[in-house]
Amino acid sequence: MIELRNISKSFSLQKQSFKALDQVNLTVAEGEILGIIGFSGAGKSTLIRCINLLERPDEGQVLVKGMDLGQLNARELARARKKIGMIFQHFNLLSSQTVFDNVALPLVLEHLPKAKISQTVTRLLKLVGLEDKAKEYPKNLSGGQKQRVAIARALANDPYVLLCDEATSALDPATTQSILQLLQDINRRLGITIVLITHEMEVIKAICNEVAVIDQGKLITKGNPEALNADPEHPIIKQFLNPTIMTLPQQLNSKLREVPQDGLFPLIEIQLNGNISFDKLLSLITAGAKAPYKLLKADVTYSGNTNFGKVLLQLQGNTTENATIMQSFHQHNIKNTLKGYA
Ligand SMILES: Nc1ncnc2c1ncn2[C@@H]1O[C@H](COP(=O)(O)OP(=O)(O)OP(=O)(O)O)[C@@H](O)[C@H]1O
Ligand SMILES: [Mg+2]
């Protein structure tokens, strides 16, 4: 559906040239939800803006549905862009217009008959769950509702691609979830291919079936979210896979010692990188050494059949039992860190 071939883009800043994109090759299949992650300044927005040529690459080709966008004249490009919807972090709604008129705008620009516009806007507002807000102005809406209006507007021209640049970054976690659900629904029901930028691994895990990692203008990897595990030590991937910092409970922190002591038990932080399920991890401890343990904290999220996250536990067996458990972690290639004894 989308093919970026060898895209490079430089910006000149204070007479210096800065390469924002460096020979990026990326393919997005029809019906896919691709998430692009990377740190601030990595080139994510530049990349997504290249897909509709809001940003023209210095080198390379952009193909959407087989059309080489760089070869189109202004009129043809304008027509092609109508089929590529886009939404942004700050919604970009017209504050002086009602919800209805904001969604209607692309259709008014098309000079469609009033009745047709009204019918389409009503259908779209229903799709995004805002039928009752048609006459409201954006200032009277919550962030999530504003983003729904922006989504409805982006769908007005019946696009086959929807580009989302940090569409949930300004929203609280619960609203983020509902917008992600809506995007997934749109993808499934309308078959629209979605490319979304995020700096949150949670967003990727929630709805993306493909993920691309970009760093300093270069595409580091692209594959299904589980494939990130193939290179978990890559500094960027590592940070995205393990965003949680597990702090020790206060009462243990004050007792923490670096070397074993009588009456103290090891505290182990385990990283779940998709190679073992959380349930299996626990059964490994109970079944293997049959030793007591205490689960102190767990932050586990599921992506498809795989889980990622961190687990903090205290092994409470005797020295031999605890060593057996540690040994089995090693055998099963489970990444763990001994935080100390408490
Ligand atoms: N129009 C521009 N002129 C000059 N430099 C630019 C321009 N647009 C982007 N850049 C630079 O290119 C780099 C990549 O920018 P981009 O906006 O693509 O990053 P990003 O990954 O989207 O970051 P963020 O997560 O902060 O949105 C940055 O260093 C930025 O300063
Ligand atoms: Mg950006």
Side-chain angles (χ1 to χ4, degrees):
M1 170 63 87
I2 300 170
E3 203 182 335
L4 303 181
R5 290 189 191 152
N6 252 334
I7 295 288
S8 293
K9 174 79 191 176
S10 295
F11 293 108
S12 41
L13 277 174
Q14 286 147 10
K15 293 190 186 140
Q16 289 214 336
S17 177
F18 175 84
K19 212 158 203 184
L21 292 176
D22 193 359
Q23 307 219 314
V24 173
N25 285 290
L26 183 69
T27 309
V28 190
E30 186 166 350
E32 206 166 82
I33 304 184
L34 168 73
I36 300 176
I37 50 169
F39 296 133
S40 185
K44 305 181 296 295
S45 294
T46 309
L47 180 70
I48 210 169
R49 289 162 59 84
C50 279
I51 296 177
N52 54 8
L53 287 201
L54 276 180
E55 208 70 81
R56 261 185 199 268
D58 305 326
E59 285 169 47
Q61 283 174 293
V62 179
L63 288 101
V64 179
K65 267 215 158 178
M67 262 184 301
D68 185 341
L69 298 193
Q71 299 297 320
L72 303 181
N73 64 31
R75 232 178 124 153
E76 291 164 337
L77 180 60
R79 193 176 321 133
R81 274 194 185 136
K82 280 177 199 151
K83 294 293 177 187
I84 309 175
M86 192 161 187
I87 55 170
F88 307 88
Q89 180 174 356
H90 295 296
F91 327 122
N92 296 7
L93 301 178
L94 298 174
S95 57
S96 61
Q97 310 247 319
T98 63
V99 164
F100 184 97
D101 290 338
N102 266 283
V103 178
L105 188 67
L107 304 168
V108 172
L109 294 174
E110 289 290 292
H111 306 293
L112 292 184
K114 260 192 164 167
K116 171 75 183 153
I117 293 178
S118 175
Q119 189 192 357
T120 307
V121 174
T122 307
R123 173 175 59 80
L124 289 169
L125 287 179
K126 190 158 180 231
L127 178 76
V128 301
L130 289 181
E131 307 99 298
D132 54 337
K133 300 284 182 200
K135 295 198 174 90
E136 287 291 350
Y137 284 86
K139 69 173 177 2
N140 298 329
L141 302 180
S142 69
Q145 289 168 338
K146 283 181 199 161
Q147 196 58 289
R148 284 171 189 271
V149 178
I151 291 172
R153 184 182 56 188
L155 297 178
N157 276 324
D158 214 1
Y160 32 72
V161 177
L162 182 61
L163 308 175
C164 315
D165 192 349
E166 305 269 10
T168 57
S169 298
L171 307 175
D172 62 61
T175 314
T176 292
Q177 278 311 319
S178 78
I179 293 294
L180 292 177
Q181 214 122 64
L182 175 62
L183 291 177
Q184 192 166 43
D185 194 40
I186 286 167
N187 167 261
R188 286 185 181 155
R189 281 176 42 192
L190 309 179
I192 295 178
T193 307
I194 296 181
V195 180
L196 64 88
I197 290 179
T198 178
H199 54 260
E200 291 171 281
M201 195 61 198
E202 295 306 312
V203 171
I204 302 281
K205 290 175 194 163
I207 63 163
C208 297
N209 37 36
E210 285 284 304
V211 56
V213 182
I214 170 160
D215 189 36
Q216 296 180 19
K218 288 200 162 68
L219 182 75
I220 304 294
T221 184
K222 189 214 176 223
N224 61 28
E226 284 94 40
L228 290 181
N229 299 310
D231 195 6
E233 286 308 308
H234 191 289
I236 314 253
I237 297 177
K238 195 171 183 173
Q239 186 145 346
F240 281 111
L241 286 176
N242 301 291
T244 332
I245 297 164
M246 287 256 162
T247 47
L248 294 181
Q250 190 63 32
Q251 74 276 19
L252 291 177
N253 209 4
S254 54
K255 282 203 325 192
L256 195 70
R257 299 288 175 270
E258 279 183 28
V259 287
Q261 266 180 35
D262 278 349
L264 296 187
F265 296 112
L267 287 169
I268 316 279
E269 187 182 281
I270 292 170
Q271 211 170 290
L272 296 173
N273 278 344
N275 53 351
I276 186 160
S277 74
F278 183 42
D279 308 341
K280 181 138 186 249
L281 171 78
L282 296 184
S283 68
L284 200 68
I285 303 169
T286 37
K290 298 196 177 58
Y293 71 93
K294 199 169 179 179
L295 181 61
L296 298 171
K297 278 186 183 177
D299 180 0
V300 185
T301 40
Y302 288 81
S303 168
N305 295 322
T306 321
N307 55 207
F308 300 85
K310 279 188 181 169
V311 179
L312 186 65
L313 48 86
Q314 188 172 36
L315 306 180
Q316 296 187 319
N318 61 36
T319 315
T320 321
E321 288 166 338
N322 293 343
T324 309
I325 293 174
M326 298 292 283
Q327 183 68 26
S328 68
F329 289 163
H330 185 70
Q331 278 164 1
H332 286 82
N333 214 3
I334 299 169
K335 284 196 67 178
N336 63 89
T337 317
L338 177 65
K339 308 285 277 185
Y341 299 83

